[in-house]
Amino acid sequence: MLDKDGIAKRIAKEVKDGYYVNLGIGIPTLVANYVPDGIDVEFQSENGVLGMGPFPYEGDEDADIINAGKQTITTLPGASFFDSAMSFAMIRGQHVHLTILGAMEVADNGDIANWKIPGKMVKGMGGAMDLVASAENIIVAMMHTNKAGESKLLKKCTLPLTGVNCVKKIVTNLAVLEIIDGGFRLLERAPGVSVEEIKQATEGRLVVEGDVPEMKL
Amino acid sequence: MLDKDGIAKRIAKEVKDGYYVNLGIGIPTLVANYVPDGIDVEFQSENGVLGMGPFPYEGDEDADIINAGKQTITTLPGASFFDSAMSFAMIRGQHVHLTILGAMEVADNGDIANWKIPGKMVKGMGGAMDLVASAENIIVAMMHTNKAGESKLLKKCTLPLTGVNCVKKIVTNLAVLEIIDGGFRLLERAPGVSVEEIKQATEGRLVVEGDVPEMKL
Amino acid sequence: MINKRVASVTEALQGVRDEMTFMLGGFGLCGIPENSIAELVRLGIRDITCISNNAGVDDFGLGLLLRKRQIRKMISSYVGENDEFERQMLSGELEVELTPQGTLAEKCRAAQAGIPAFFTPAGYGTEVAEGKETREFEGKMYVMEEAFRADFSIVKAWKGDEAGNLIFKGTARNFNPCMCGAAKITVAEVEELVPAGELDPNQIHIPGIFVQRIFRGDHYEKRIEQRTVRKR
Amino acid sequence: MINKRVASVTEALQGVRDEMTFMLGGFGLCGIPENSIAELVRLGIRDITCISNNAGVDDFGLGLLLRKRQIRKMISSYVGENDEFERQMLSGELEVELTPQGTLAEKCRAAQAGIPAFFTPAGYGTEVAEGKETREFEGKMYVMEEAFRADFSIVKAWKGDEAGNLIFKGTARNFNPCMCGAAKITVAEVEELVPAGELDPNQIHIPGIFVQRIFRGDHYEKRIEQRTVRKR
């Protein structure tokens, strides 16, 4: 079974040379730490920066330079700042190649819900609706089940949707899955996790074909 | 009767303190020369400059700094350069207060035609269609009649339109007129021009109320 | 040059009234018009609508206006950093319209640019699209969104000149440029206000035509929400 | 950093073919991609569609492509400076779609920004609106216009870096920024090409994400159409 860093590490392997990538808050942010050397990528943050670098050294933080998670950041050579309209021109115009974000629920048709629990929690969608409606490649990073142990990979989302038919791949603490016509296709198992355990934890239609390899990190 | 500079001089009196103004090619360009001291205005050129100044001194011209008439220009303190999308955001968003442009024909309902003579001449509308569809105040600067002596102030435009119901005022070599419901209302006569002469030269409905003063320049 | 300089925040906000709609720049607490928000609190106007990506935190930014119950309605994309906000919203005291962030930005930019409506894929198939026109272009579905209409845009820039030209810094830029000229009156507060001619015309982010009033803000706290650092 | 630098104009224009649609920056002869146009002439590709505000003059700019009959269709707002153009158009050899200048700019920007369609007042009630959807917003009539679709955008900037970031100069900016990222491939030619990190991230007009290939142009004539001066 993977921890959060493990999930980030596995997702980092999906990041290809030349990609512009938008990382959501939480696990996705960790992905930046695991992109292999020799893979040139640039991270976009929808609040208006391209070419994000690591956190600043203590004392160097600048209130005017943050990411979408409101964290102080630095920029790398070749970076640029821009306004929100241009930032979403990048996203909506499909110039950002890959979006990695968290989810509360994903359905086996690629629907995703991650912004609202009616009557309980409403943080808002932020840029997530624009991202999932636009990106050609969307990877969800999340735990396979919620705190109550219930599956987050469903036949149908129960929460208000963020986007429809948009998720391409899901990396959880248990597995890597891709959305195919009619279900979650199991691609890889997390180290030490059996297909049976994944089946148990998946409410939506799970497609298992042949031997499912254990993931390499 | 006014010459081109006279028309420009008269129009300059319509330019109020605090106005952003777009000047078309030809007579309108001359208006900048006659704005009285103490009236603060900024001239916008739709190719991407605000705060245009006079032509450069010989030898100072810069191929990268021109106006919409493709003339080399200078800028004044407070000027800015921007792209075409932002330039027309200024125009379409009604941030430019006054548009002064030439016309081939104006109709007594405020229609204007100035971009095409079917089968003969097609230069294109440039920014004129955006300007006339957007500006709250549009003044046309033109000769009252064409080279064949025919009126350019018509009941109905015969040429393809640039915009509908948009012209507010017309300054010609003979008169100042405003568009009111149902006609050209004669406001002022050019020096030495009689109401009768203006009537003769106006094909559209001319509204003459009381004594029409001679214009002061 | 048309001079947009006003002497103080009080002069800059002349004309604000109860029930008006305000656009306010900033992302989180980054690039918010601190001085103008303080003045809105001081003026005590009520039942206002705020268009702002976020709602501040409990004791800073728009949170100050929320705490005094001056806001009747918020139009935002993300409001997750504010307990008082969540309380007022869940109790129904505060009306909230949540809008995708890119749509929020584009609705501002559309107002600035005289575009009454546009199509975006964001929110298609979700409750955000309910009651809105949808349409297919090239095999993909889109939602029609309309430009915002507001009385005041209040933005914060880094440098400005008397002509109203603005330059923003880093990610404090965010929604501020898109909101300039997107309301009847745009007020810009800046950290540094210089005479016209001192800024390079080629490096201006927002030309002065989009700004009606500009003043130098007296004080910027620039609070950081998530101070994240690494060891040297 | 994702390196966008290519060695030459030939490499930059790899993949251009007959019948493709090109966006080309520039207003008149100001800010046109001179080196790329020369290469298109040299390559001799035919039956192309050009989206460009103007069509050059008889012996410079897009006029060079017109003279060699490489262009089948022009989409422009103003074409009044080119006799050969007028001749080809009136004789029917050249297809011409005239579009209001602001609409042209916005159709580029819409393509860049993933907005499939928007409403503009420009051209309402004229032949430009024929066959297009019109609609009333707040008592005013608007025309619906769709984003352009093109194969290549070819733009010219003043300075650029290896990451594809661009800075334009003066009014040579014009349509160039709006066309970046508005086609499948965007090629930028620049007067000065510097390593990543040399340009101030706060002063970049177009981030490199909108540019696929960048090269330094060998030669810029920068011809002036209307040399207007005053005496000292």
Side-chain angles (χ1 to χ4, degrees):
Chain A
M1 201 182 306
L2 301 177
D3 60 6
K4 288 181 178 183
D5 276 280
I7 294 174
K9 223 164 170 173
R10 175 58 191 84
I11 290 178
K13 291 174 70 177
E14 303 289 322
V15 177
K16 305 284 182 259
D17 193 49
Y19 267 19
Y20 292 97
V21 183
N22 182 289
L23 302 177
I25 299 170
I27 303 175
T29 303
L30 303 173
V31 173
N33 301 333
Y34 299 107
V35 176
D37 283 347
I39 300 285
D40 290 331
V41 298
E42 287 187 33
F43 294 106
Q44 195 252 19
S45 198
E46 66 268 25
N47 59 316
V49 55
L50 188 68
M52 257 190 300
F55 296 138
Y57 288 116
E58 250 183 297
D60 285 353
E61 61 272 25
D62 182 339
D64 291 330
I65 300 180
I66 65 168
N67 65 15
K70 282 97 177 177
Q71 297 171 310
T72 45
I73 56 155
T74 60
T75 57
L76 298 172
S80 54
F81 297 113
F82 36 84
D83 67 43
S84 300
M86 184 174 270
S87 183
F88 283 90
M90 291 176 190
I91 290 166
R92 218 189 293 103
Q94 303 194 322
H95 307 288
V96 173
H97 301 106
L98 173 61
T99 284
I100 303 169
L101 79 174
M104 298 171 184
E105 298 178 345
V106 176
D108 59 22
N109 66 347
D111 288 0
I112 176 173
N114 72 352
W115 70 285
K116 186 179 184 179
I117 304 173
K120 269 173 93 175
M121 184 286 290
V122 193
K123 296 206 177 298
M125 66 292 282
M129 281 194 182
D130 306 271
L131 284 160
V132 301
S134 306
E136 293 196 25
N137 195 358
I138 296 165
I139 301 179
V140 167
M142 65 177 190
M143 293 295 143
H144 212 100
T145 53
N146 64 19
K147 281 171 190 161
E150 298 157 339
S151 180
K152 295 170 72 175
L153 288 86
L154 307 175
K155 282 193 184 69
K156 200 174 174 335
C157 292
T158 64
L159 297 171
L161 296 180
T162 306
V164 294
N165 304 122
C166 54
V167 175
K168 296 283 180 293
K169 212 170 246 187
I170 305 138
V171 179
T172 75
N173 51 331
L174 303 185
V176 180
L177 312 99
E178 69 176 346
I179 302 282
I180 55 163
D181 198 24
F184 299 109
R185 183 169 160 213
L186 183 59
L187 297 178
E188 298 171 20
R189 296 170 293 114
V193 176
S194 69
V195 170
E196 197 49 43
E197 285 172 275
I198 296 164
K199 272 185 188 164
Q200 289 294 328
T202 306
E203 192 245 25
R205 184 160 174 265
L206 187 73
V207 178
V208 184
E209 291 163 347
D211 272 354
V212 178
E214 194 173 283
M215 62 180 80
K216 293 185 182 69
L217 291 170
Chain B
M1 202 184 304
L2 301 177
D3 60 6
K4 288 180 177 185
D5 276 281
I7 295 173
K9 222 164 170 175
R10 175 59 192 82
I11 291 178
K13 292 175 69 178
E14 303 288 322
V15 177
K16 307 281 181 260
D17 195 49
Y19 267 20
Y20 292 97
V21 183
N22 182 289
L23 301 176
I25 299 170
I27 302 174
T29 303
L30 302 172
V31 172
N33 301 332
Y34 299 108
V35 176
D37 284 347
I39 300 287
D40 290 331
V41 298
E42 286 187 33
F43 293 107
Q44 194 252 18
S45 199
E46 65 268 25
N47 59 315
V49 54
L50 188 67
M52 255 190 301
F55 296 137
Y57 289 116
E58 251 181 296
D60 285 354
E61 62 272 25
D62 182 340
D64 290 331
I65 301 180
I66 65 168
N67 65 15
K70 282 95 177 181
Q71 298 171 309
T72 46
I73 56 154
T74 61
T75 57
L76 298 172
S80 54
F81 296 112
F82 35 84
D83 67 42
S84 300
M86 183 173 271
S87 183
F88 283 90
M90 292 178 188
I91 290 167
R92 217 188 296 101
Q94 304 194 323
H95 307 289
V96 172
H97 302 107
L98 173 62
T99 283
I100 303 170
L101 79 174
M104 296 172 186
E105 298 178 345
V106 176
D108 59 22
N109 67 346
D111 288 358
I112 176 173
N114 73 350
W115 70 285
K116 186 178 184 181
I117 305 174
K120 269 173 93 174
M121 186 285 289
V122 193
K123 295 205 178 299
M125 65 294 279
M129 282 195 182
D130 307 272
L131 284 159
V132 301
S134 307
E136 293 197 26
N137 195 358
I138 296 165
I139 301 179
V140 167
M142 66 176 189
M143 294 294 143
H144 213 99
T145 54
N146 64 20
K147 281 170 190 162
E150 298 157 341
S151 180
K152 295 170 71 174
L153 289 88
L154 307 175
K155 282 192 183 70
K156 198 173 175 342
C157 292
T158 64
L159 297 172
L161 295 180
T162 306
V164 294
N165 305 122
C166 54
V167 175
K168 295 285 181 293
K169 212 171 245 188
I170 304 137
V171 179
T172 73
N173 51 330
L174 302 184
V176 179
L177 312 99
E178 69 175 346
I179 302 282
I180 56 163
D181 199 22
F184 299 110
R185 184 168 159 214
L186 183 59
L187 296 179
E188 297 172 20
R189 296 171 293 112
V193 175
S194 69
V195 169
E196 197 49 41
E197 285 171 275
I198 295 165
K199 272 186 189 164
Q200 288 296 327
T202 307
E203 193 246 25
R205 184 160 175 266
L206 187 73
V207 179
V208 184
E209 291 164 344
D211 274 351
V212 178
E214 195 173 283
M215 63 179 80
K216 293 185 182 72
L217 292 171
Chain C
M1 194 265 301
I2 302 169
N3 198 328
K4 306 294 176 72
R5 181 179 198 144
V6 296
S8 65
V9 63
T10 307
E11 193 179 333
L13 293 185
Q14 210 116 59
V16 304
R17 289 197 311 274
D18 292 354
E19 297 182 19
M20 275 186 167
T21 298
F22 294 85
M23 288 183 172
L24 296 121
F27 182 95
L29 301 179
C30 182
I32 59 172
E34 296 186 22
N35 293 274
S36 300
I37 293 171
E39 178 70 6
L40 290 175
V41 172
R42 196 188 68 79
L43 289 168
I45 55 168
R46 301 185 69 85
D47 293 320
I48 64 175
T49 297
C50 291
I51 299 168
S52 169
N53 189 58
N54 311 86
V57 295
D58 281 329
D59 61 347
F60 202 57
L62 292 189
L64 300 169
L65 286 162
L66 281 165
R67 208 162 55 174
K68 283 189 66 189
R69 310 284 178 87
Q70 293 178 257
I71 301 176
R72 196 196 62 199
K73 181 179 178 183
M74 280 295 312
I75 300 174
S76 302
S77 88
Y78 192 81
V79 292
E81 280 101 0
N82 193 314
D83 292 338
E84 172 64 12
F85 182 98
E86 201 158 7
R87 197 197 58 70
Q88 288 187 26
M89 174 172 55
L90 292 174
S91 72
E93 291 163 66
L94 179 69
E95 192 184 338
V96 178
E97 186 178 315
L98 287 166
T99 301
Q101 194 176 144
T103 301
L104 188 79
E106 195 66 15
K107 281 163 75 86
C108 295
R109 193 262 171 190
Q112 175 191 69
I115 302 281
F118 59 90
F119 289 89
T120 174
Y124 175 75
T126 75
E127 64 179 60
V128 160
E130 277 169 26
K132 290 176 187 162
E133 181 174 333
T134 59
R135 192 186 293 217
E136 187 177 327
F137 293 96
E138 304 279 301
K140 186 168 172 172
M141 294 302 298
Y142 294 84
V143 183
M144 193 178 91
E145 294 280 359
E146 295 193 27
F148 280 129
R149 282 181 289 279
D151 298 293
F152 276 82
S153 270
I154 304 180
V155 304
K156 189 262 169 181
W158 181 34
K159 293 182 186 175
D161 71 13
E162 291 173 336
N165 294 307
L166 302 178
I167 295 176
F168 304 89
K169 186 186 146 209
T171 55
R173 193 182 316 187
N174 57 64
F175 286 84
N176 286 296
C178 320
M179 289 177 171
C180 292
K184 288 174 200 149
I185 293 174
T186 296
V187 173
E189 58 173 82
V190 297
E191 293 181 54
E192 194 183 332
L193 184 51
V194 301
E198 289 203 9
L199 303 179
D200 178 353
N202 210 40
Q203 294 294 14
I204 283 162
H205 293 140
I206 281 291
I209 192 172
F210 294 113
V211 174
Q212 277 68 52
R213 305 171 189 171
I214 188 167
F215 71 100
R216 195 181 64 77
D218 282 338
H219 176 69
Y220 287 99
E221 178 179 337
K222 291 199 186 181
R223 197 185 291 188
I224 292 174
E225 273 184 81
Q226 304 286 340
R227 187 178 304 269
T228 45
V229 294
R230 58 185 159 145
K231 293 268 178 233
R232 275 176 204 276
Chain D
M1 192 267 298
I2 301 169
N3 198 329
K4 307 295 177 72
R5 180 178 200 147
V6 295
S8 65
V9 63
T10 305
E11 193 179 334
L13 293 186
Q14 211 116 59
V16 304
R17 289 197 310 274
D18 292 353
E19 296 181 21
M20 278 187 163
T21 297
F22 294 85
M23 289 185 169
L24 295 123
F27 183 95
L29 301 179
C30 182
I32 57 172
E34 296 186 21
N35 294 274
S36 299
I37 292 171
E39 178 71 4
L40 290 175
V41 171
R42 195 187 70 77
L43 289 168
I45 55 167
R46 301 185 69 84
D47 293 320
I48 65 175
T49 296
C50 291
I51 299 167
S52 169
N53 189 57
N54 310 87
V57 295
D58 281 327
D59 62 346
F60 201 58
L62 293 189
L64 300 171
L65 286 163
L66 281 166
R67 208 162 53 172
K68 282 188 66 189
R69 310 286 178 84
Q70 294 179 257
I71 302 177
R72 197 195 61 200
K73 182 179 179 183
M74 280 294 313
I75 300 174
S76 302
S77 88
Y78 190 81
V79 292
E81 281 102 358
N82 193 314
D83 292 337
E84 173 64 12
F85 182 97
E86 201 158 7
R87 195 197 60 68
Q88 288 186 26
M89 174 171 56
L90 293 174
S91 73
E93 292 162 65
L94 180 69
E95 194 184 336
V96 178
E97 187 178 314
L98 288 165
T99 302
Q101 192 176 147
T103 301
L104 187 78
E106 194 67 15
K107 281 164 75 85
C108 295
R109 193 262 172 192
Q112 176 190 70
I115 302 281
F118 60 90
F119 289 89
T120 173
Y124 176 75
T126 76
E127 62 180 59
V128 161
E130 277 168 25
K132 291 176 186 161
E133 181 173 331
T134 60
R135 193 186 292 217
E136 186 176 328
F137 292 96
E138 304 280 303
K140 185 169 171 171
M141 293 303 297
Y142 294 84
V143 183
M144 192 178 92
E145 295 280 0
E146 296 193 27
F148 280 128
R149 281 182 291 279
D151 298 291
F152 275 83
S153 271
I154 304 180
V155 306
K156 191 261 167 180
W158 180 35
K159 292 180 188 177
D161 70 14
E162 289 172 338
N165 293 307
L166 302 178
I167 296 176
F168 304 88
K169 185 187 146 210
T171 55
R173 193 181 317 187
N174 57 65
F175 285 83
N176 286 297
C178 319
M179 289 177 173
C180 291
K184 288 174 201 150
I185 293 175
T186 296
V187 173
E189 57 171 82
V190 298
E191 293 181 53
E192 196 182 333
L193 184 52
V194 302
E198 289 203 10
L199 303 178
D200 178 353
N202 210 39
Q203 294 293 14
I204 283 162
H205 293 141
I206 281 292
I209 192 173
F210 294 113
V211 174
Q212 276 68 49
R213 305 173 190 170
I214 189 167
F215 71 98
R216 193 182 64 77
D218 282 337
H219 176 69
Y220 287 99
E221 177 180 337
K222 292 200 185 182
R223 196 185 290 188
I224 293 175
E225 275 184 81
Q226 306 284 339
R227 188 179 303 271
T228 45
V229 294
R230 59 185 158 143
K231 294 266 176 234
R232 275 177 201 276

